[in-house]
Amino acid sequence: MFMGIGVSRRDSPNQLAQSVGQWVQIDAHVLLLVFLPGLLFKDAFEVNFHLFRASFGQLLIMAFPMVLAGTVLTALIGYYVFPYKWSFPLSMTFGSILAATDPVAVSALLNEVGAPPRLKMHVSGESLLNDGSAVVFFTIFADIFLAELGIEGLGRSISVGQGFALFFKMSVGGALIGVAFGMGLMLILFLLRHRLDNEENIIQISAAISMAYISFYVAEIVCDTSGVIAVVSCGITTQAFGSNMINDKHMMDSFINLVEHLLNTLLFALAGVVFGAIVADNEKWFSTDWGYLILLCVLLTAVRFFLVFSFYPILSRIGLKSCWREAVFISFGGLRGAVGIALALALDAEVWHETDEDDPARAWTTTLFGMVGGVAFFTLIVNGSLSGPLLRKLGLAESTATRKRIVTHFAKSTKDHLMGDLVHLMTDPRFKHIDFSVISSHVPIFKDITLEELSAAVEKNQASVPPDRYRRPDLSNILPYLLKKAEQEADTSMGGERPSLEEGNILFESYMNSAQVQQQKQGLDGEDGGAAESSEGDSIDWNGLVSVYATARIPVSPVDMRSALHKSIANTDLAGISDRAIELRLIFVEALRHAYAHQVERGELDPRGFLDYVLFQSLEFCADEVRLGKPLNDWEATQIVGGTWTSRVEIGINRLYSLDCRHRSDVRSISREYIQLRFEVSKALAFISAHTLAQERFQREFCVEGKGEFTAQERLVLEESLAQVRIAKAFLESKEKRDVTVIVSHLACIILLNKGARYMEYLAEEGLLKQKEAHHFIELTSRALDGLKYCSKSKHPGELTRAEKLAMMNLPSFCRNSRDFHYKPSSYYSSGGDERGGGTEKFEQAADDGGSDGASFHAQ
């Protein structure tokens, strides 16, 4: 609209003004053919056929007798109230245009607040059918009006009897044509039944949208019936009998929604430009016209109430029935939108195309479009905005108290889900030394977790993993905080006295028993239970890497496998193996690509970030080098792709974020050096993780079945991957230990926040939560992620010192007075439940480094 106003204010011609002029002069049939099929097919295809069939009688009454009565009453307003001296056929055309309702905003609201299905069916079904009847009435009365202009070949005179016959022909004929095309579409969908063939899935979608446009063209242009009714009938027929033949329903729904969104956006943008140009032209739109527009909106609402309640005695007794509260909302929620705007644009375009400059008909149709556009604008702003409060006032929305209980339930479910994710993260050696104070500072849902909830999460995690694949979580940096919190709560509840807390002791004992798992003896040193390291000092956790497959395909001892790799490379003649080695390297590159994609899915990598771009692009560089016979060298490729430009770009983006007052101080406090360090460390972490996953997958696929052996080429590729990992680890070891630990802790927070957001999206997709309810949580998650992006703190609120951690782990003070407390020393938590010697010393050494033992981290 503002573009249209700007165009009209310029004296000199410009490209936008020329574009607006071309759209105004476009052929009316082309305009309707472009917009209506795509808009109507989507609504018809998504209709609930069971409810549609049950309420069909009601919808027919609302779509035909009510539309005709509304057309007449609105025509009387244009003929008697407006001072424009419109003829009665033009007034009837005006009434038929405004008879079409478009409840797009109201329908979204009904889904959001959980309105009754019957009300949603009445609103959407009425709109679907009255679009067809309104277009039929528009065609009849527009022909009569155009015939009055006296231009040869334009319009036709239609008597009353001919009008009823034409209405019957267009309605029934259009419906039959639509059913025929719907059956043809079902035949196409049936023949394209190979669900795993993505090309056939795409052809199904193309066939569906093409059939909508073809049915409209055949009905409207070839057979001279209603194209709108044909499209609606085609969509409903396909939904009723052919929806189960669609191979990829998600793809179909996404594409149809995209088409509707684009057409709606283009149509409203075009209408806004034309409307703005009209109201800004003092020769076309006068100040009094604003008053008549407001009066028209009021009268249309009154007419709508009159019509609905006039037919209410019938509507409340047939079909799905109805109640007076629903009738009130249907009356108020009768918005006007896309179909009415398209019809008004088509009429104005046809008149401007066929008449001379001084013909008064141009002013009539231009004013008519201005009124239709104004009504669509005001009903969307006023009625659309007030529909929500009215719906709640009438008691048609779900009870707020009920929804609060449901949301609270799913909030608890989300918390339990994230607790399981946290426990699973603690089994990953990368996150061994993250501090819980960082987690609780950046993931709000963990601020109030209890020992009981952690115990339940550990038990659930252990029960969900096969014993041979289970890894105990390292909770040495989480338990001290929960124990301290329990002690503080006990002090508060008992007025400062230290109770025995027998129930708390039983809970703590239960937790420790649930977390304890017997160590697997195969391939492990019986004294320390740690992963063996090679004599060369390479401390990659080969036990963790291959433990899943050790029993069937890989040497039992990680040391033996590593030694076999080194010995094989040293003694192998590389001549003649290059071709197979190239193919294996390319396969390994694809495994790396899949590993990075897995990290994106898991939430470790931001698909919109520069790190994701650098890692995936590095694989393209690496693949090119491999095809030339060179070894794997994707670490160097990341250096080439990344360079230093990434930090500069991210700094620029941060400056844009600083415009948001919520992040202004955080953005200013973060340095370019820290941004670069965070990027490089995150890249190394993702790189190591991807190579670890790719090595696992490569070993599964290529290790000789049952023998635990590799061919020379396979050993070569694995050794090259190990060399790349060693380079990345050396890079990490060159950085400050504390900085690395903070960045790793932030990475854990990012993973947990993304998992929480995706779980909420899942609940919304399954219909368990409303979109608005899930959106609230996702918005909070986005803010927390923004906070992580600009956090460079080395110490977070509530962080315990090493002495406090040792005190809480060695002897929980809130249990000191309990005679029945079965104490387990800190070695239980640091060595995985084995109370042999050496565990306490390990924890104390980690605590001496402030919980961020970089050497230990790198070793894992």
Side-chain angles (χ1 to χ4, degrees):
M1 185 174 73
F2 293 110
M3 287 192 297
I5 295 174
V7 167
S8 65
R9 296 299 185 188
R10 292 178 60 92
D11 297 330
S12 59
N14 56 76
Q15 292 181 345
L16 183 58
Q18 294 174 2
S19 176
V20 173
Q22 291 175 356
W23 273 104
V24 170
Q25 298 176 16
I26 194 173
D27 183 81
H29 293 292
V30 174
L31 186 68
L32 296 179
L33 179 61
V34 169
F35 289 105
L36 293 187
L39 293 172
L40 295 172
F41 185 78
K42 185 260 183 184
D43 293 333
F45 187 74
E46 292 184 346
V47 72
N48 186 320
F49 182 72
H50 169 71
L51 295 179
F52 180 84
R53 182 179 59 182
S55 61
F56 187 69
Q58 294 172 299
L59 299 179
L60 282 179
I61 293 175
M62 299 170 75
F64 291 97
M66 274 182 58
V67 168
L68 180 59
T71 298
V72 173
L73 293 177
T74 307
L76 295 178
I77 296 174
Y79 190 74
Y80 289 107
V81 178
F82 286 174
Y84 306 124
K85 298 181 180 180
W86 291 347
S87 64
F88 191 71
L90 179 58
S91 298
M92 289 293 290
T93 305
F94 176 66
S96 64
I97 291 174
L98 290 178
T101 59
D102 184 11
V104 58
V106 173
S107 297
L109 173 68
L110 295 176
N111 292 326
E112 179 181 300
V113 301
R118 179 177 67 182
L119 176 59
K120 290 189 284 188
M121 187 69 256
H122 286 161
V123 171
S124 60
E126 181 203 5
S127 172
L128 202 60
L129 293 186
N130 72 18
D131 284 344
S133 60
V135 172
V136 172
F137 290 133
F138 168 81
T139 303
I140 295 173
F141 294 117
D143 277 348
I144 299 175
F145 163 69
L146 294 174
E148 288 183 341
L149 300 180
I151 300 175
E152 185 177 355
L154 187 65
R156 52 182 167 169
S157 298
I158 301 175
S159 65
V160 176
Q162 291 175 329
F164 278 106
L166 183 60
F167 177 83
F168 181 81
K169 171 194 171 184
M170 295 183 68
S171 301
V172 177
L176 293 176
I177 291 174
V179 171
F181 274 93
M183 295 176 65
L185 177 58
M186 286 190 293
L187 177 62
I188 295 174
L189 296 177
F190 175 76
L191 295 176
L192 300 170
R193 58 182 180 272
H194 300 96
R195 295 181 180 272
L196 298 181
D197 190 339
N198 192 55
E199 185 176 354
E200 289 198 2
N201 299 344
I202 295 174
I203 294 175
Q204 280 193 339
I205 298 172
S206 302
I209 198 68
S210 299
M211 202 65 73
Y213 279 89
I214 295 173
S215 64
F216 183 91
Y217 177 81
V218 171
E220 188 80 15
I221 307 300
V222 178
C223 299
D224 198 24
T225 59
S226 173
V228 171
I229 294 180
V231 173
V232 171
S233 301
C234 178
I236 293 177
T237 302
T238 307
Q239 168 62 28
F241 305 108
S243 60
N244 62 318
M245 302 178 190
I246 298 173
N247 296 336
D248 193 334
K249 294 185 179 181
H250 177 73
M251 184 188 295
M252 177 74 78
D253 292 340
S254 299
F255 182 80
I256 292 178
N257 287 328
L258 175 62
V259 169
E260 187 211 27
H261 176 76
L262 292 176
L263 292 175
N264 256 325
T265 301
L266 181 59
L267 180 60
F268 275 91
L270 172 63
V273 170
V274 177
F275 179 72
I278 292 174
V279 299
D281 192 340
N282 294 329
E283 295 181 358
K284 296 180 180 179
W285 190 267
F286 305 96
S287 58
T288 54
D289 292 332
W290 289 108
Y292 283 111
L293 176 58
I294 295 174
L295 177 63
L296 174 63
C297 293
V298 174
L299 292 177
L300 284 177
T301 303
V303 167
R304 177 76 176 170
F305 271 92
F306 172 75
L307 291 174
V308 171
F309 279 93
S310 296
F311 287 91
Y312 176 72
I314 301 176
L315 297 177
S316 61
R317 288 174 171 81
I318 63 174
L320 294 176
K321 301 181 173 54
S322 185
C323 64
W324 69 268
R325 292 188 298 274
E326 293 179 359
V328 170
F329 183 80
I330 292 173
S331 303
F332 188 79
L335 281 66
R336 275 67 174 180
V339 174
I341 289 175
L343 296 177
L345 272 174
L347 178 65
D348 193 37
E350 187 164 9
V351 169
W352 276 70
H353 185 265
E354 300 291 345
T355 60
D356 300 327
E357 292 185 3
D358 56 350
D359 195 315
R362 287 191 172 188
W364 295 342
T365 57
T366 298
T367 304
L368 182 147
F369 173 77
M371 288 294 175
V372 172
V375 168
F377 176 77
F378 279 109
T379 54
L380 182 63
I381 297 300
V382 178
N383 296 53
S385 301
L386 296 178
S387 292
L390 177 64
L391 199 66
R392 297 180 180 89
K393 186 69 175 177
L394 293 172
L396 296 174
E398 290 186 358
S399 170
T400 303
T402 301
R403 287 309 307 173
K404 284 184 177 179
R405 287 195 295 268
I406 293 175
V407 171
T408 301
H409 168 77
F410 283 115
K412 177 64 167 58
S413 174
T414 304
K415 184 177 181 180
D416 295 340
H417 182 80
L418 286 183
M419 284 295 301
D421 291 329
L422 175 62
V423 170
H424 181 71
L425 279 183
M426 292 303 101
T427 65
D428 190 332
R430 291 179 299 165
F431 304 110
K432 178 179 180 180
H433 294 294
I434 63 173
D435 197 275
F436 186 69
S437 63
V438 182
I439 301 290
S440 60
S441 295
H442 292 292
V443 186
I445 203 168
F446 287 136
K447 289 184 181 295
D448 58 347
I449 66 171
T450 63
L451 194 64
E452 184 178 13
E453 291 171 331
L454 182 62
S455 172
V458 171
E459 291 178 357
K460 186 176 180 181
N461 178 68
Q462 182 177 353
S464 63
V465 179
D468 61 328
R469 299 182 60 180
Y470 180 73
R471 297 181 184 177
R472 279 185 310 282
D474 189 323
L475 305 177
S476 58
N477 285 310
I478 297 180
L479 281 174
Y481 292 91
L482 302 185
L483 296 173
K484 182 178 181 181
K485 178 184 176 183
E487 180 185 48
Q488 292 173 344
E489 290 176 351
D491 289 343
T492 303
S493 62
M494 301 303 295
E497 298 180 5
R498 299 282 178 91
S500 63
L501 292 180
E502 181 177 354
E503 183 178 354
N505 298 333
I506 295 174
L507 171 62
F508 192 57
E509 171 72 8
S510 173
Y511 163 70
M512 291 188 292
N513 289 335
S514 68
Q516 187 173 9
V517 181
Q518 296 295 326
Q519 289 193 354
Q520 302 294 325
K521 301 300 182 182
Q522 297 179 354
L524 298 179
D525 187 342
E527 292 300 320
D528 56 16
E533 299 181 355
S534 68
S535 59
E536 298 177 5
D538 186 5
S539 54
I540 188 170
D541 185 4
W542 275 92
N543 179 63
L545 179 63
V546 303
S547 60
V548 178
Y549 312 102
T551 57
R553 313 186 65 164
I554 297 178
V556 174
S557 171
V559 175
D560 293 341
M561 189 182 75
R562 296 277 322 289
S563 300
L565 282 174
H566 286 290
K567 184 182 299 184
S568 173
I569 295 299
N571 298 331
T572 299
D573 183 6
L574 299 182
I577 69 170
S578 59
D579 290 341
R580 175 167 169 75
I582 289 175
E583 293 300 324
L584 289 173
R585 290 186 186 114
L586 290 175
I587 290 174
F588 195 87
V589 169
E590 292 305 314
L592 287 173
R593 196 185 310 277
H594 180 270
Y596 286 136
H598 176 72
Q599 291 184 49
V600 172
E601 182 180 355
R602 194 183 178 203
E604 295 184 32
L605 287 178
D606 182 4
R608 300 173 57 187
F610 294 106
L611 180 57
D612 176 88
Y613 168 82
V614 168
L615 292 173
F616 279 102
Q617 286 298 310
S618 69
L619 296 180
E620 302 299 331
F621 279 79
C622 182
D624 291 339
E625 295 292 313
V626 166
R627 292 187 184 98
L628 297 176
K630 297 182 180 180
L632 292 174
N633 195 16
D634 50 323
W635 176 258
E636 182 178 350
T638 63
Q639 304 299 105
I640 297 174
V641 177
T644 58
W645 63 270
T646 51
S647 62
R648 296 192 183 100
V649 174
E650 192 164 356
I651 286 290
I653 294 176
N654 290 342
R655 295 291 178 253
L656 294 177
Y657 272 99
S658 66
L659 299 176
D660 188 345
C661 60
R662 292 176 301 177
H663 305 300
R664 187 170 300 164
S665 59
D666 295 331
V667 171
R668 291 175 179 175
S669 65
I670 193 169
S671 65
R672 175 179 172 180
E673 291 74 15
Y674 181 78
I675 291 176
Q676 183 67 28
L677 174 64
R678 182 179 62 191
F679 179 85
E680 296 294 340
V681 170
S682 300
K683 180 179 69 177
L685 292 171
F687 184 91
I688 294 172
S689 178
H691 271 268
T692 301
L693 291 174
Q695 289 165 6
E696 288 181 353
R697 187 173 187 183
F698 191 84
Q699 293 163 26
R700 290 201 307 268
E701 300 297 335
F702 291 100
C703 182
V704 178
E705 182 70 37
K707 297 182 180 179
E709 299 176 357
F710 299 102
T711 65
Q713 298 92 335
E714 294 162 359
R715 295 189 188 100
L716 177 64
V717 173
L718 280 175
E719 181 61 28
E720 290 173 357
S721 173
L722 288 173
Q724 293 294 295
V725 171
R726 283 193 290 269
I727 296 173
K729 287 166 55 182
F731 169 81
L732 287 178
E733 291 170 355
S734 68
K735 302 303 176 183
E736 290 290 337
K737 299 175 183 178
R738 184 64 182 177
D739 291 337
V740 172
T741 302
V742 170
I743 293 172
V744 172
S745 299
H746 285 171
L747 175 61
C749 295
I750 291 173
I751 294 173
L752 292 170
L753 288 170
N754 283 326
K755 283 183 175 291
R758 291 183 181 183
Y759 183 68
M760 278 291 174
E761 290 173 353
Y762 162 77
L763 293 177
E765 291 172 358
E766 294 295 313
L768 302 177
L769 278 180
K770 306 299 180 186
Q771 291 288 343
K772 185 177 181 179
E773 296 164 347
H775 177 76
H776 175 70
F777 180 87
I778 294 173
E779 178 65 23
L780 295 177
T781 301
S782 298
R783 294 181 184 179
L785 287 170
D786 287 340
L788 274 166
K789 186 181 297 184
Y790 307 113
C791 176
S792 58
K793 300 176 182 177
S794 60
K795 187 175 178 64
H796 290 73
E799 185 170 347
L800 297 178
T801 65
R802 59 180 180 271
E804 290 173 324
K805 289 181 181 179
L806 284 170
M808 298 307 302
M809 292 294 289
N810 282 309
L811 190 58
S813 57
F814 78 97
C815 297
R816 285 174 182 170
N817 296 331
S818 173
R819 293 175 301 174
D820 300 325
F821 176 69
H822 301 287
Y823 169 70
K824 285 186 171 55
S826 60
S827 60
Y828 171 84
Y829 304 98
S830 58
S831 65
D834 191 351
E835 297 185 32
R836 290 175 291 225
T840 304
E841 289 78 11
K842 291 181 181 179
F843 180 81
E844 290 174 350
Q845 179 61 41
D848 288 338
D849 292 328
S852 58
D853 185 355
S856 177
F857 165 78
H858 299 313
Q860 296 295 337

